[in-house]
Amino acid sequence: MLFAYDEPLYRPPSEGRNLIVQATLGCSFNRCTFCSMYKSKTYQARPLDDVFAEIDFLVNRFPQADRIFLADGDALVLPTDHLASLLDYLAEKFPNLTRVSSYAMPKNLLDKSHDELSLLRDKGLKLVYMGVESGSNLILKRIIKGASQQTHVKAIEKARAANLKISATVILGLGGQADWEEHIRGTAELINQAPVTYLSTLQLTLDDASHDDFMSHQPDTFCFQDDEGILTEQELLLSLLDPAKPIIFRSNHASNCLPLAGNIPRDRDRLLGEIAASRSDEAMLRPAFLRWL
Ligand code: SF4
């Protein structure tokens, strides 16, 4: 069999060493203004027989695989029986499998019942990656995220009730220089209401394909944050986070000017100290040429 992923193919950085199975193509929403990842694709669910044939191919080459990521943009949109068959097939073929994960939008989680999510969890889906981006309803509306703060809270609570882990990403810089505080305060409010397992920050980076769409939904006065502004956002976010359960925090995505890693609230003071130190020691900041800028 000839095997090739349908490009472009994306996966979270933490899935870099894991096997990828492409269960869907594209993103069923595909409207967020800052995101061009799947603009070249029309969303479709891939037929199970095609996916099974690729799994048969992959298992011959990577029989020891223990973690699998389901691509593309929101594989959790698939009907529950479709996903259940896929998870059963993966479990049958990969005896060492300990975790299956996928991207998910809040709507994907809310469209499934608690019992459906629990079933998928029992069949091996352990972790979902959610691009929260912001907790501010003003910012969420401007970036056409298709979900409000409360929708995110409900989706995260529902996932947690089904024992699914959530890895959430927030994009620093989305509010620009005028609305950065609204962006960060709303984001902290969201996470404090519905703590996720992992929280990562990214730094707003627009490519040519998304720049015009993003800007056309911003106020005329929108100005991008510089590194100093981004550090101030990071500082306020870490100061305001007060989750009911500890959160593993990372800003190690390549877009960030300052890589940080710790546990909130335990490591808050150390992380704030690293931000303060970076203001007087430029060497701590990741050079622009390493940041896809
Ligand atoms: S950010 Fe996620 S939900 Fe939005 S268009 Fe991109 S892949 Fe789809």
Side-chain angles (χ1 to χ4, degrees):
M1 157 191 188
L2 279 177
F3 173 80
Y5 288 114
D6 188 298
E7 302 279 353
L9 181 73
Y10 297 95
R11 46 103 188 110
S14 55
E15 298 286 339
R17 293 165 174 262
N18 303 336
L19 206 56
I20 301 180
V21 169
Q22 215 161 12
T24 59
L25 299 183
C27 163
S28 69
F29 183 63
N30 216 12
R31 290 181 58 203
C32 303
T33 61
F34 60 88
C35 171
S36 61
M37 295 202 302
Y38 303 109
K39 292 287 191 253
S40 61
K41 297 186 181 185
T42 300
Y43 170 78
Q44 54 184 286
R46 298 192 62 225
L48 268 179
D49 285 346
D50 292 358
V51 180
F52 287 170
E54 288 178 4
I55 292 170
D56 291 345
F57 175 89
L58 290 169
V59 78
N60 280 324
R61 278 145 191 85
F62 309 101
Q64 305 302 327
D66 59 354
R67 290 182 171 191
I68 291 176
F69 176 73
L70 300 180
D72 275 339
D74 62 333
L76 205 67
V77 73
L78 290 166
T80 300
D81 57 348
H82 184 119
L83 277 170
S85 301
L86 178 51
L87 291 167
D88 282 344
Y89 200 74
L90 290 172
E92 180 192 326
K93 297 290 174 175
F94 294 97
N96 297 329
L97 193 59
T98 59
R99 181 180 98 182
V100 180
S101 57
S102 81
Y103 286 127
M105 290 187 292
K107 185 176 187 316
N108 304 151
L109 290 157
L110 294 173
D111 282 349
K112 290 188 165 42
S113 69
H114 170 77
D115 289 349
E116 288 177 304
L117 292 177
S118 296
L119 175 81
L120 297 175
R121 167 67 175 75
D122 291 345
K123 288 181 180 292
L125 182 75
K126 303 280 175 65
L127 171 68
V128 291
Y129 296 91
M130 185 187 288
V132 167
E133 333 303 5
S134 177
S136 152
N137 283 330
L138 174 75
I139 305 297
L140 288 166
K141 207 169 168 188
R142 278 186 193 156
I143 61 172
I144 321 283
K145 189 63 205 176
S148 66
Q149 182 191 85
Q150 270 319 103
T151 313
H152 281 97
V153 168
K154 279 186 196 152
I156 292 167
E157 283 174 346
K158 195 165 183 181
R160 287 197 83 125
N163 210 14
L164 286 167
K165 290 183 176 171
I166 298 263
S167 178
T169 47
V170 165
I171 303 181
L172 302 178
L174 276 180
Q177 292 183 14
D179 293 315
W180 70 271
E181 200 169 338
E182 156 77 24
H183 170 42
I184 297 302
R185 288 191 182 279
T187 302
E189 201 174 279
L190 188 162
I191 300 296
N192 288 343
Q193 286 176 75
V196 292
T197 318
Y198 307 97
L199 177 66
S200 308
T201 56
L202 283 67
Q203 199 164 318
L204 179 63
T205 311
L206 299 173
D207 59 17
D208 291 346
S210 54
H211 181 273
D212 290 355
D213 193 21
F214 177 84
M215 292 304 286
S216 71
H217 291 87
Q218 297 297 328
D220 292 344
T221 50
F222 184 89
C223 282
F224 290 94
Q225 286 279 45
D226 56 13
D227 283 351
E228 178 58 31
I230 293 292
L231 291 174
T232 304
E233 290 192 22
Q234 191 75 276
E235 206 165 39
L236 183 63
L237 179 64
L238 290 171
S239 304
L240 293 175
L241 285 178
D242 185 22
K245 295 183 181 175
I247 291 175
I248 298 168
F249 175 81
R250 298 277 182 275
S251 70
N252 54 0
H253 183 268
S255 60
N256 289 284
C257 62
L258 180 66
L260 296 169
N263 183 302
I264 303 291
R266 188 190 66 200
D267 301 321
R268 184 201 319 274
D269 290 347
R270 172 178 62 76
L271 297 172
L272 290 173
E274 288 177 26
I275 295 172
S278 75
R279 289 201 154 100
S280 51
D281 181 5
E282 228 176 81
M284 289 177 69
L285 299 182
R286 189 181 266 138
F289 73 93
L290 291 178
R291 281 194 255 154
W292 308 349
L293 298 179

